[in-house]
Amino acid sequence: DDYTFLTVFLSTLTPKFYFALTVTSSFISGLIFVFEWWHFRKYGTSFIEQVSVSHLRPLIGGVENSGNISALNSVSTFFSECKVWRNPLNLFRGAEYSRYTWVTGKEPLTYYDMNLSAQDHQNFFTCDTDALRPSDTVMQKAWRERNPQARIKAAYQALELNNDCATAYVLLAEEEATTIVDAEKYFKQALKAGEMIYRKSQNCHSQSPQHEAQLRRDTNVLVYVKRRLAMCARKLGRIREAVKMMRDLMKEFPLLSMLNIHENLLEALLELQAYADVQAVLAKYDDISLPKSAAICYTAALLKARAVSERFSPETASKRGLSTAEINAVEAIHRAVEFNPHVPKYLLEMKSLVLPPEHILKRGDSEAVAYAFFHLQHWKRIEGALNLLHCTWEGTFRMIPYPLEKGHLFYPYPSCTETADRELLPTFHEVSVYPQKELPFFIHFTAGLCSFSAMLALLTHQFPELMVIFAKAVSIGSHFYFTNVSHVFVF
C-alpha cells in the first residue's frame, strides 16, 4: 500500500541521495529558466505558455469554431497592419552591404528581406512579353535565382544576347559593382538602354494589352534607374545634381508617388541645409490624407526644433514656461514619437545602429533604424536639437498610457511590429519593443523554482543529517494529511 511504499522510500533517503536529488532538480530547473529566458528574448513569448496554449488547451478543452474565426480575423489584421514597404534609401548590395560582410563577417540582410526584394524585382522588371525577347527571358530567370553569382552570370548572358538589356545593367550595378563609382557607370549604361526601350514602348503601347504591360515594365525600369543614379550622385557628394535629378523625376512621373522619392529629396535638401525647400516639400507631403512616415514626422519636428533649440534650456523653461514656438516644437516631437517611438533612442545614441534593411515596417524598429542611419547627422548639425529631443520625447507616453488600445494623433500602435521587425532585421541586432512587455509568469516561476532548489541543495550540503530528518518529517506529515482529507471526503 501507499504507507509501505513511503516507508521503503524514506529508508533509502540517505544524506548523499538527498543531496544528489536536490542538486539534480536545481540543475534541471536552472536549464529550464535559461531556456525560457532565451526564448522570451528571441521570440517575445514564453515557451511553456506557448506550448500550453497551442497543444495542451485543445486536448483539454477542445477548439470551438468561433476560435477559428477569431484566429482568422487576427491573421488578417496582422497582415493589414504589418505591411512592409520598400526602403526609399536602401543601400547597394555590392558596394555597401557586401563590403560590410567582408569587414565584419556578418550578414546585414535577412533571408526574408532579400526574398521580398526578389519579389519586387520580378514585379518591377518583368512582364508577360518577356518571352518575345531572349535577353528578357534570361533576366526573368535571373531575378528568381537565390545565388548572387548565378544572378550575375545570368546578367552577362543576357548582355551577350542583347547589349541594350537595361535590367541586366541594373543587376550588375546593384550586385557586382563594389564601389558607388562602378555602380553609377552601370546605371548610366542602363539609363541609355532604358530610355531607348521606353521610347519604343511609348510608340506602340496602345496596340494591345501586352504592349501596355510592356510600357509599364519599361517605365518602372526607367524610374528605378534614374532614382538610383540620383542616389549615386548624393553618395558621391554631388548633392545639387542629385536634388535636380529627383525633382525632374517627380515632375516627369507624378503618379508614382508611392515610391516615396520625396523622402530621398528631403534627405538631400537637409544635407544642403536648404531648410526653406525642406519646408516646401513637407507642405506638400505632410498632409492628413497621405500616409505618414518617420522621415515626414521627424523632419517636421526637426524644423520646429531648429527655431528654438539653440536657446532652449529646461531650467529656464521650467521657470518662465514655454513660449509659443517652444510649445510647437515640443508638440511636433510628441507627434513624431507617437508615430514611431523607436527613433529617439537611435538619435540620442542610446542604442547602436546597424545597416538599414531593404524593406521597412512603418512605425516599427526597422523604419527607425533606416531613418536614424541617414538623418542622425542632420539632427547633430542643428545645435541643441538633440538636447530638446532628450528633454521632451518621453513626455509622449504620458499622453498615450495604453498605446495598443488608443492613440492620440494617430491610430493605436500596431501590436504586430515586433514579429515583423524580427524578420527584417539581422539576428545580431536587439529589436526595440514598444510597449515593453512584462516578463511572463513562467519565467518568474522557473526562476523561483531554480532558486528554491539551489537553496535546498546548499542547506543539504551544510546540514545533511538535519535536512534528511526534515524531508522525512515533511513526507510523513503530508502523507497523513492527504490520507485524512481523503477519508473526510469519502465519509
Side-chain angles (χ1 to χ4, degrees):
D1 57 1
D2 293 341
Y3 185 74
T4 304
F5 172 78
L6 181 63
T7 304
V8 173
F9 172 74
L10 292 178
S11 65
T12 61
L13 192 59
T14 62
K16 289 184 178 179
F17 177 76
Y18 185 66
F19 177 68
L21 188 66
T22 54
V23 169
T24 303
S25 63
S26 176
F27 178 73
I28 293 173
S29 57
L31 286 179
I32 295 173
F33 168 69
V34 170
F35 179 76
E36 270 287 291
W37 178 258
W38 171 82
H39 193 275
F40 175 73
R41 296 290 293 175
K42 185 172 179 63
Y43 300 105
T45 59
S46 163
F47 177 77
I48 299 175
E49 183 179 349
Q50 186 176 350
V51 169
S52 301
V53 172
S54 303
H55 302 287
L56 298 183
R57 182 179 294 176
L59 295 175
I60 296 172
V63 180
E64 298 179 1
N65 291 333
S66 58
N68 292 335
I69 295 172
S70 62
L72 290 173
N73 290 336
S74 65
V75 170
S76 63
T77 304
F78 173 88
F79 284 109
S80 63
E81 287 182 338
C82 292
K83 176 185 177 183
V84 294
W85 300 74
R86 185 82 177 173
N87 182 1
L89 286 83
N90 67 302
L91 304 177
F92 294 83
R93 282 199 189 175
E96 291 171 309
Y97 288 120
S98 294
R99 291 172 71 88
Y100 178 85
T101 303
W102 298 336
V103 173
T104 65
K106 297 178 179 178
E107 289 291 342
L109 296 175
T110 64
Y111 174 76
Y112 176 71
D113 192 17
M114 291 189 288
N115 188 49
L116 290 175
S117 296
Q119 294 175 25
D120 291 341
H121 295 151
Q122 292 175 53
N123 291 333
F124 290 163
F125 302 146
T126 64
C127 67
D128 296 336
T129 61
D130 284 346
L132 302 177
R133 293 187 288 197
S135 59
D136 288 339
T137 304
V138 173
M139 287 307 301
Q140 195 174 48
K141 295 178 181 178
W143 296 121
R144 297 194 183 102
E145 284 285 352
R146 292 186 179 182
N147 189 315
Q149 294 305 318
R151 289 195 294 270
I152 293 171
K153 183 179 179 181
Y156 278 116
Q157 289 175 353
L159 289 175
E160 289 176 2
L161 296 171
N162 177 13
N163 196 43
D164 292 326
C165 182
T167 53
Y169 288 118
V170 168
L171 192 149
L172 294 176
E174 291 287 352
E175 303 201 25
E176 191 192 41
T178 55
T179 65
I180 300 299
V181 173
D182 292 340
E184 187 179 41
K185 291 178 182 177
Y186 279 124
F187 275 122
K188 285 181 178 179
Q189 291 176 287
L191 178 64
K192 181 180 178 181
E195 286 181 329
M196 181 177 63
I197 297 171
Y198 177 71
R199 285 193 293 269
K200 290 181 180 178
S201 299
Q202 273 187 314
N203 295 331
C204 57
H205 76 277
S206 58
Q207 296 179 7
S208 68
Q210 287 76 16
H211 286 91
E212 290 183 9
Q214 188 171 325
L215 176 62
R216 283 195 299 270
R217 191 276 306 274
D218 294 337
T219 303
N220 291 338
V221 172
L222 186 62
V223 171
Y224 185 92
V225 170
K226 287 187 174 183
R227 180 184 193 162
R228 292 306 252 178
L229 275 171
M231 293 175 70
C232 287
R234 162 68 183 92
K235 291 174 184 291
L236 294 172
R238 306 195 308 271
I239 304 171
R240 295 189 183 280
E241 178 186 341
V243 168
K244 183 180 183 305
M245 294 171 71
M246 293 172 192
R247 289 190 186 278
D248 292 344
L249 185 58
M250 293 166 68
K251 288 179 182 177
E252 187 178 0
F253 302 98
L255 298 180
L256 295 178
S257 59
M258 77 287 295
L259 297 177
N260 297 323
I261 302 173
H262 59 274
E263 294 194 13
N264 300 82
L265 179 61
L266 279 174
E267 196 279 326
L269 290 172
L270 285 171
E271 182 63 21
L272 289 174
Q273 301 182 47
Y275 297 114
D277 292 335
V278 173
Q279 186 61 59
V281 175
L282 287 177
K284 181 177 181 181
Y285 290 98
D286 192 5
D287 186 85
I288 193 171
S289 62
L290 296 175
K292 298 292 180 288
S293 66
I296 292 289
C297 294
Y298 277 90
T299 302
L302 179 61
L303 293 190
K304 295 282 179 65
R306 176 176 171 268
V308 299
S309 60
E310 188 175 356
R311 299 179 300 277
F312 178 78
S313 169
E315 294 80 10
T316 306
S318 62
K319 293 178 182 178
R320 62 168 170 78
L322 295 174
S323 66
T324 302
E326 289 172 338
I327 291 174
N328 291 336
V330 171
E331 288 179 347
I333 288 174
H334 286 175
R335 171 179 179 258
V337 174
E338 181 183 351
F339 182 82
N340 193 316
H342 308 284
V343 172
K345 286 190 176 182
Y346 294 109
L347 293 180
L348 297 172
E349 297 181 270
M350 299 165 66
K351 279 199 71 176
S352 58
L353 279 169
V354 294
L355 295 187
E358 294 183 334
H359 291 81
I360 59 173
L361 178 68
K362 288 192 176 183
R363 305 187 74 178
D365 191 34
S366 52
E367 184 190 36
V369 168
Y371 172 79
F373 185 87
F374 293 101
H375 288 262
L376 175 59
Q377 57 182 330
H378 306 315
W379 280 81
K380 286 184 173 181
R381 187 178 292 124
I382 296 176
E383 185 178 354
L386 289 174
N387 177 49
L388 180 60
L389 177 68
H390 174 72
C391 295
T392 57
W393 74 279
E394 290 182 323
T396 310
F397 307 126
R398 290 192 288 271
M399 298 185 297
I400 42 175
Y402 303 103
L404 299 178
E405 301 170 13
K406 185 178 180 181
H408 180 60
L409 298 173
F410 298 100
Y411 288 111
Y413 190 79
S415 59
C416 59
T417 56
E418 180 187 357
T419 304
D421 280 330
R422 289 186 189 278
E423 295 288 338
L424 291 170
L425 292 165
T427 54
F428 55 83
H429 173 72
E430 183 180 351
V431 174
S432 177
V433 179
Y434 174 78
Q436 284 293 333
K437 292 183 177 180
E438 296 182 357
L439 287 177
F441 163 76
F442 285 105
I443 287 185
H444 292 289
F445 176 76
T446 53
L449 182 62
C450 177
S451 302
F452 180 71
S453 302
M455 184 183 67
L456 284 181
L458 179 62
L459 290 174
T460 305
H461 179 71
Q462 295 292 330
F463 313 102
E465 300 293 341
L466 185 62
M467 288 302 294
V468 168
I469 294 172
F470 174 74
K472 290 180 178 180
V474 170
S475 301
I476 294 172
S478 60
H479 171 75
F480 282 110
Y481 172 77
F482 287 112
T483 302
N484 292 333
V485 169
S486 63
H487 287 167
V488 170
F489 279 108
V490 168
F491 288 108

